[in-house]
Amino acid sequence: MIYGVFSDVHGNYEALRAVLSFFKKNGAGGYICCGDIAGYGAQASECVDAITPLPNLHCVMGNHDAALVGRMDLKWFNPTATAAILYNRHFLRGEQLEFIAGLPELVEREDFTLVHGSPKSHLKEYLLSEMQFMDNLRYWKVSPCFIGHSHMPVYFALEGEAKVPATDFLKPMCAMRLAQDSRYIINPGSVGQPRDSNPLAACGLYDSSARTFELFRIDYDVEKTKRVMREAGLPPMLVERLSLGF
Ligand SMILES: [Fe+2]
Ligand SMILES: [Fe+2]
């Protein structure tokens, strides 16, 4: 199965549309969404409607999704993030809120594991270091484990008999081969709010038969997303950062 892997859409419908179109053109038969559909952007409703019909969809709840449906206290969020959560709460229909409220925090399949933050702390931990990767190893079983939350396209690996983990940023045109006897945690970066100084939407393709993962960066109409956010009255900082990728 070829899976389209994506995370942290954050209500950026134009970026999501471009990524889903790329997945379809490249033969995706399943979809892995690492959470945070909502938050920051103005179009969580449109994003939920685009994601829910995807075939073979596996999706976990992110911290912004949890806050949207009242499962996480807004004290954990800064004022700009809170403004976006409150804006989107107003526009989501009942069945959309039900979809988000029903998302699991952890998905364990025969060909991957899926969680938003980390296997140890599903909604809160930003997994960014080798030390955290090693600390998390005992909390999950099936490799690869896909995560989101930090918005950084990055992988961690413990390969073969190695005692020391490897890590690096994921770049386009560099497919990873995922060895059967090794452990990998992979973050596909963010669709809707990249933070690695590259404003292009990030996503990946996971081939569970060939056991490969490849990262891609997708161009989209960022000015349209910014216009919609401005019209929604969202904080200017949230709007302007999209062109800079931070
Ligand atoms: Fe996020
Ligand atoms: Fe998050």
Side-chain angles (χ1 to χ4, degrees):
M1 170 85 79
I2 296 175
Y3 292 98
V5 187
F6 63 105
S7 190
D8 295 275
V9 172
H10 283 301
N12 186 338
Y13 180 57
E14 291 307 314
L16 178 63
R17 268 190 344 131
V19 164
L20 293 182
S21 161
F22 169 81
F23 285 155
K24 204 168 174 189
K25 279 190 203 126
N26 284 274
Y31 294 84
I32 296 172
C33 173
C34 315
D36 273 359
I37 297 170
Y40 297 132
Q43 293 178 288
S45 173
E46 289 86 342
C47 292
V48 170
D49 283 347
I51 288 170
T52 46
L54 294 173
N56 299 309
L57 172 69
H58 305 282
C59 182
V60 285
M61 182 179 285
N63 54 315
H64 286 256
D65 307 320
L68 187 75
V69 294
R71 289 257 295 266
M72 199 164 174
D73 200 308
L74 287 171
K75 74 178 182 190
W76 292 97
F77 297 84
N78 64 42
T80 53
T82 299
I85 288 165
L86 294 176
Y87 174 86
N88 281 294
R89 202 181 264 174
H90 187 67
F91 286 100
L92 285 163
R93 303 188 304 274
E95 73 271 19
Q96 296 175 318
L97 290 167
E98 271 172 37
F99 166 74
I100 292 176
L103 290 173
E105 289 185 19
L106 171 72
V107 172
E108 293 176 294
R109 303 274 301 175
E110 68 280 359
D111 48 359
F112 64 86
T113 304
L114 170 62
V115 69
H116 180 61
S118 78
K120 183 179 171 183
S121 174
H122 299 162
L123 293 177
K124 290 183 182 163
E125 183 175 23
Y126 293 88
L127 205 161
L128 287 164
S129 73
E130 292 106 310
M131 193 182 290
Q132 288 173 289
F133 169 68
M134 296 302 279
D135 181 43
N136 266 276
L137 280 178
R138 66 199 155 104
Y139 294 94
W140 59 286
K141 294 188 191 83
V142 179
S143 180
C145 175
F146 293 105
I147 63 168
H149 196 40
S150 73
H151 298 208
M152 290 292 169
V154 66
Y155 77 87
F156 300 90
L158 192 64
E159 296 188 293
E161 300 299 307
K163 296 279 184 288
V164 180
T167 182
D168 205 351
F169 287 104
L170 289 161
K171 300 171 197 78
M173 314 286 285
C174 298
M176 287 177 73
R177 193 158 290 283
L178 306 170
Q180 285 283 3
D181 64 344
S182 303
R183 310 281 303 274
Y184 301 90
I185 285 184
I186 296 173
N187 188 329
S190 170
V191 170
Q193 198 195 84
R195 289 183 193 155
D196 59 342
S197 303
N198 179 349
L200 300 180
C203 64
L205 286 173
Y206 167 49
D207 186 329
S208 60
S209 304
R211 293 197 63 81
T212 57
F213 177 84
E214 187 166 357
L215 186 90
F216 297 88
R217 301 306 288 252
I218 311 294
D219 201 3
Y220 74 97
D221 191 346
V222 66
E223 290 307 322
K224 187 169 178 187
T225 290
K226 290 170 68 178
R227 196 164 61 244
V228 172
M229 289 174 74
R230 276 192 212 101
E231 285 166 6
L234 291 175
M237 190 276 273
L238 290 181
V239 180
E240 297 312 320
R241 69 192 296 181
L242 291 179
S243 298
L244 305 168
F246 76 91

